């Protein structure tokens, strides 16, 4: 939707089915002041461009008893089942139904007393259903309420009063089950909404003030006591503590935080007192962005869900036509009008697409919510489906398979008398670079030199994929990979030493001018402790091959690949060359790319599924990738693939079961075995079974 100053977001309560969501959206669009409206069924959220009051919106959703509240408003307390008006009516209807069956036993089925009791049951329990069904029929909108209205009134017309009243009760129970299942699936996201405090202790003008989080500004200082939740994203100014940040990253073990460390809204400060400088407004916190992205993801339909929606669009009118033909064509030849009308009505009831329509969205919503709780952010149902179908997976090295914090292991000066100056030159060159290798040299220089910042670099240039160069005191120096100079410019001693260091799995850089090498620098990035196990788990999941794509030299890349069990290595790649490898692989296989979301952005965007490491607090990762591992933890990757595959298995099971039970019921109509109440029971049972099957995804957990 286009952004506008008139855009408003609302939370919905009581939204029970996808067809109801579509109808509510149409009703809101028809309101006088509304230009555009979009309902997110999975997240139970409404976005409106234009002007409309809450009363007008609730009137638009009155057909399904939808309650509307503004974003940020405290939710309406949940009304107990027995206190809801519609449920009280159903209960009253059930009493009249029981009275009707009792009257049957005393006075017979055709007695006036029985008919009055059954008719009362039908009108009391089905009044709302009939009102909506007739309205849909007039507008030629054929949904499940239209089918049920025709079936119930048709049953009464041919004298099947008891069965008509039973259908009303069973349909009401079916809708209650559907509502419960979606509420249960949405609960994982609701729990994210509730974990962040609504107020925080802020120090302003030397005074401690408890204020609403919406009024906290960037730069404010929060005071967070032990066992209190952190209300805003920020940086620790004073104090140290362990912070439980499972709600953001999925990490089960509390993380140590001290001065300079980043903390997130919604996480729990366990022990020490922290003073935190706020770095983001409440609507921009990592938690807020996670919730926004997850809710948006739930509105993105997987291909399987899109298929079901298209199928249901034609399925319901087709069922209505089949029911009409069965009710009125055979009697023209047999003369048994009541028998065939009854069978036609049974077709309408059993043909209700409840189980089919609910089968996919409840699984998608449940899976995406469960993934978010475990620190895996999936940005749409389509990516959830594609993730389970990938055949190959490519990894960036630095920060993905390794910890991303390289350290200098060897520093060898060709001219030993210039040892200190060479290090000062290197520090000056890397001061303006953001590359992880630059941080390693800066850290080494800070430790070895008394005055590490004594030289200043001018005319700094970053040579993509090769290194950096700048002028220092009128001389142009280069710090970069050996290939920048070319083998022909390196003497035999330097070339031999470079190869030796690279064979040890180290990244080698050279410091020098265009004509002379001054120093050889070797850096090594520690391999993550989980990398080897993850590669093995992915092979066990059936992935055909793992690839390593890195800008590092070939010897270092091969050494790491051999240690981890990765089969295919592509080394010394520029970002555009990584993109080419992904595109070439995609010609024959679906492939996922795992990277840090910064220099791997082109490859992440081109891959079948782009997976970013360390999504917590990383804007690029959240924006670029289709899936983000929030805890910077590679062990979540097998969990995500396993969840995706289980989700797609459950969706296929649900669709097959929903269609199978319909087909079986339709076959039972031919010999006349299927009664109206049994048809509703089959539909209700189907809805319940596919719902419970989908909710099994809530139990899917990570392997340790």
């Amino acid at each position: 939707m286009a952004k506008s100053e008139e855009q408003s977001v609302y939370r919905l309560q009581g939204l029970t089915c996808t067809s109801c969501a579509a109808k509510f959206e149409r009703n809101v669009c028809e309101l006088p002041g509304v230009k555009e409206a979009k309902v997110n069924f999975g997240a139970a959220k409404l976005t409106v461009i234009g002007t409309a009051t809450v009363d007008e919106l609730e009137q638009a959703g009155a057909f399904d008893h939808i309650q509307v509240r503004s974003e940020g408003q405290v939710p309406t307390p949940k009304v107990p089942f027995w206190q809801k008006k519609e449920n009280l009516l159903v209960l009253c209807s059930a009493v009249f139904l029981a009275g009707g069956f009792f009257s049957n036993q005393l006075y017979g089925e055709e007695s006036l007393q029985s008919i009055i009791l059954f008719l009362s049951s039908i009108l009391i329990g089905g009044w709302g259903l009939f009102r909506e069904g007739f309205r849909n029929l007039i507008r030629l909108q054929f949904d499940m309420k239209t089918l049920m209205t025709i079936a119930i009134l048709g049953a009464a017309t041919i004298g099947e009063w008891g069965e008509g009243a039973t259908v009303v009760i069973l349909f009401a129970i079916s809708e209650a089950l559907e509502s419960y299942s979606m509420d249960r699936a949405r609960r994982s996201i609701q729990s994210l909404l509730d974990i962040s405090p609504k107020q925080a202790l802020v120090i302003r003008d030397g005074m401690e003030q408890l204020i609403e989080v919406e009024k906290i500004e960037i730069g404010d200082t929060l005071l967070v006591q032990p066992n209190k939740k952190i209300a805003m994203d920020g940086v620790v100014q004073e104090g140290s503590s362990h912070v439980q940040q499972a709600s953001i990253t999925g990490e089960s073990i509390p993380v140590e935080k001290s001065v300079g460390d980043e903390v997130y809204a919604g996480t729990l400060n366990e022990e020490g007192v922290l003073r935190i400088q706020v770095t983001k407004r409440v609507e921009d916190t990592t938690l807020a962005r996670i919730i926004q992205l997850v809710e948006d993801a739930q509105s993105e339909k997987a291909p399987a869900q899109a298929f079901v929606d298209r199928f249901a669009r034609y399925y319901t009118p087709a069922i209505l036509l089949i029911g009409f033909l069965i009710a009125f064509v055979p009697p023209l030849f047999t003369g048994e009008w009541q028998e065939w009308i009854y069978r036609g009505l049974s077709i309408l009831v059993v043909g209700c697409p409840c189980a089919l329509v609910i089968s996919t969205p409840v699984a998608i919503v449940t899976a995406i919510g469960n993934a978010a709780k475990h620190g895996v952010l999936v940005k749409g149902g389509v990516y959830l489906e594609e993730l389970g179908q990938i055949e190959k997976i490519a990894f960036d090295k630095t920060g993905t398979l390794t910890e991303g914090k390289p350290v200098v292991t060897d520093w060898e000066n060709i001219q030993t008398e210039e040892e200190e100056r060479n290090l000062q030159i290197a520090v000056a060159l890397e001061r303006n670079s953001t590359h992880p290798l630059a941080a390693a040299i800066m850290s080494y220089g800070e430790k070895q030199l008394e005055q590490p910042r004594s030289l200043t670099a001018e005319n700094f240039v970053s040579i993509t994929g090769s290194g950096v160069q700048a002028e220092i005191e009128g001389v142009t120096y280069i710090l970069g990979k050996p290939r920048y100079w070319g083998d022909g410019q390196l003497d035999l001693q330097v070339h031999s030493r470079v190869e030796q260091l690279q064979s040890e799995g180290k990244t080698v850089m050279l410091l020098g001018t265009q004509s002379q090498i001054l120093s050889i620098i070797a850096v090594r990035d520690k391999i993550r402790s989980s990398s080897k196990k993850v590669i093995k788990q992915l092979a066990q999941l059936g992935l055909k091959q793992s690839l390593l794509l890195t800008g590092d030299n070939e010897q270092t890349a091969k050494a790491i690949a051999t240690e981890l069990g990765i089969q295919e290595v592509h080394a010394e790649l520029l970002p555009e060359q990584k993109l080419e490898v992904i595109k070439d692989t995609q010609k024959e296989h679906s492939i996922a790319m795992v990277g840090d979301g910064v220099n791997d952005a082109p490859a992440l965007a081109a891959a079948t599924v782009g997976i970013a490491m360390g999504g917590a607090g990383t804007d690029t990762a959240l924006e670029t990738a289709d899936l983000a591992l929030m805890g910077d933890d590679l062990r979540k990757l097998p969990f995500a693939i396993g969840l995706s595959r289980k989700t797609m298995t459950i969706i296929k099971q649900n669709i097959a079961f929903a269609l199978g039970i319909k087909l079986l019921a339709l076959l039972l109509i031919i010999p006349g075995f299927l009664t109206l109440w049994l048809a509703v029971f089959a539909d209700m049972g189907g809805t319940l079974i596919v719902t419970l099957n989908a909710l099994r995804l809530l139990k899917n957990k990570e392997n340790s």
Side-chain angles (χ1 to χ4, degrees), residues 529-591:
S529 59
S530 60
S531 294
K532 189 172 184 178
K533 184 178 180 181
V534 167
I535 299 298
K536 185 178 179 180
Q537 287 176 330
L538 293 174
Q540 291 170 346
L541 284 170
L543 268 72
K544 293 181 178 178
Q545 198 173 35
S546 296
L547 293 77
L548 177 61
L549 310 184
T550 178
D552 214 336
N553 71 83
E554 190 165 354
Q555 285 179 302
T556 301
K558 284 184 176 179
I560 289 176
T562 301
E563 186 175 343
L564 296 178
I566 294 177
Q567 301 89 347
E568 187 176 331
V569 178
H570 298 267
E572 301 183 30
L573 300 179
L574 299 174
E576 57 267 28
Q577 291 172 318
K578 290 185 181 182
L579 175 61
E580 288 175 13
V581 173
I582 293 294
K583 286 185 174 179
D584 287 343
T585 306
Q586 277 183 315
K587 292 175 182 177
E588 296 183 7
H589 302 281
S590 57
I591 184 169

Side-chain angles (χ1 to χ4, degrees), residues 177 251 410 490 556:
L177 287 173
E251 297 167 283
D410 302 84
L490 302 179
T556 301

Side-chain angles (χ1 to χ4, degrees), residues 421 424-425 428 454-458 470-477:
R421 179 171 173 80
Q424 288 175 333
I425 291 170
S454 57
L455 297 179
T456 303
E458 298 176 339
E471 289 183 14
I472 298 175
E473 297 179 349
V475 179
T476 300
Y477 292 95

Side-chain angles (χ1 to χ4, degrees), residues 202 204 211-222 232-233 276-282:
V202 178
R204 285 182 179 172
I211 63 176
E212 304 291 325
V213 291
E214 289 81 7
K215 298 177 182 177
I216 297 176
E217 300 291 339
I218 294 174
D220 277 341
T221 299
L222 303 185
M232 307 287 285
D233 281 13
I276 298 166
Q277 183 177 26
V278 176
T279 55
K280 295 178 182 177
R281 291 184 56 82
V282 65

Side-chain angles (χ1 to χ4, degrees), residues 519-695:
S519 301
I520 303 172
I521 307 152
V523 176
R524 178 148 187 173
D525 189 4
K526 187 178 179 183
I527 295 175
R528 291 180 188 270
S529 59
S530 60
S531 294
K532 189 172 184 178
K533 184 178 180 181
V534 167
I535 299 298
K536 185 178 179 180
Q537 287 176 330
L538 293 174
Q540 291 170 346
L541 284 170
L543 268 72
K544 293 181 178 178
Q545 198 173 35
S546 296
L547 293 77
L548 177 61
L549 310 184
T550 178
D552 214 336
N553 71 83
E554 190 165 354
Q555 285 179 302
T556 301
K558 284 184 176 179
I560 289 176
T562 301
E563 186 175 343
L564 296 178
I566 294 177
Q567 301 89 347
E568 187 176 331
V569 178
H570 298 267
E572 301 183 30
L573 300 179
L574 299 174
E576 57 267 28
Q577 291 172 318
K578 290 185 181 182
L579 175 61
E580 288 175 13
V581 173
I582 293 294
K583 286 185 174 179
D584 287 343
T585 306
Q586 277 183 315
K587 292 175 182 177
E588 296 183 7
H589 302 281
S590 57
I591 184 169
M593 172 69 192
V594 188
D596 61 11
V598 183
N599 60 340
D600 299 310
L604 285 170
T608 310
V609 180
I611 303 169
M613 288 286 291
T618 309
D619 289 344
T620 309
L622 292 176
E623 296 299 333
T624 307
D626 307 316
L627 186 144
L629 308 180
M630 303 300 291
D632 202 19
D633 186 354
L634 205 58
R635 290 174 298 180
K636 298 182 185 300
L637 186 54
F639 161 75
I641 293 174
L643 178 65
S644 168
R645 291 182 176 180
K646 187 172 181 180
T647 301
M648 297 319 300
T649 298
I650 283 177
I651 286 175
K652 289 172 184 175
Q653 289 172 349
N654 282 354
I655 293 174
F657 178 79
L659 291 174
I661 201 169
K662 300 296 181 191
L663 181 60
L664 177 62
L666 289 173
L667 292 175
L668 290 175
I669 286 176
I670 297 172
F673 293 157
L674 191 71
T675 61
L676 272 177
W677 68 267
L678 192 59
V680 179
F681 196 75
D683 182 65
M684 181 179 70
T687 301
L688 180 59
I689 288 171
V690 299
T691 297
L692 293 176
N693 194 34
L695 291 178

Side-chain angles (χ1 to χ4, degrees), residues 498-529:
V498 166
E499 285 192 335
Q500 183 183 350
L501 290 168
Q502 287 177 341
S503 69
E504 296 171 7
K506 297 173 183 177
T507 299
V508 180
M509 295 177 288
L510 301 179
L511 171 66
T513 63
Q514 292 284 359
S515 59
Q516 182 184 18
I517 303 300
L518 301 176
S519 301
I520 303 172
I521 307 152
V523 176
R524 178 148 187 173
D525 189 4
K526 187 178 179 183
I527 295 175
R528 291 180 188 270
S529 59

Side-chain angles (χ1 to χ4, degrees), residues 180-237:
Y180 169 78
S181 66
M182 283 311 302
D183 286 344
R184 181 80 173 85
R186 291 172 182 139
R187 207 169 296 166
S188 55
I189 301 305
Q190 187 62 47
S191 65
L192 287 177
L193 289 168
D194 294 338
I195 64 174
S196 187
K198 307 305 178 194
Q199 295 179 317
L201 200 58
V202 178
I203 301 174
R204 285 182 179 172
D205 302 322
M207 301 286 291
E208 295 179 9
Q209 305 175 39
L210 188 66
I211 63 176
E212 304 291 325
V213 291
E214 289 81 7
K215 298 177 182 177
I216 297 176
E217 300 291 339
I218 294 174
D220 277 341
T221 299
L222 303 185
L223 182 64
V224 184
Q225 302 289 346
N227 296 315
K228 296 290 184 181
K229 285 187 175 180
I230 298 169
M232 307 287 285
D233 281 13
V235 175
V236 178
Q237 281 185 321

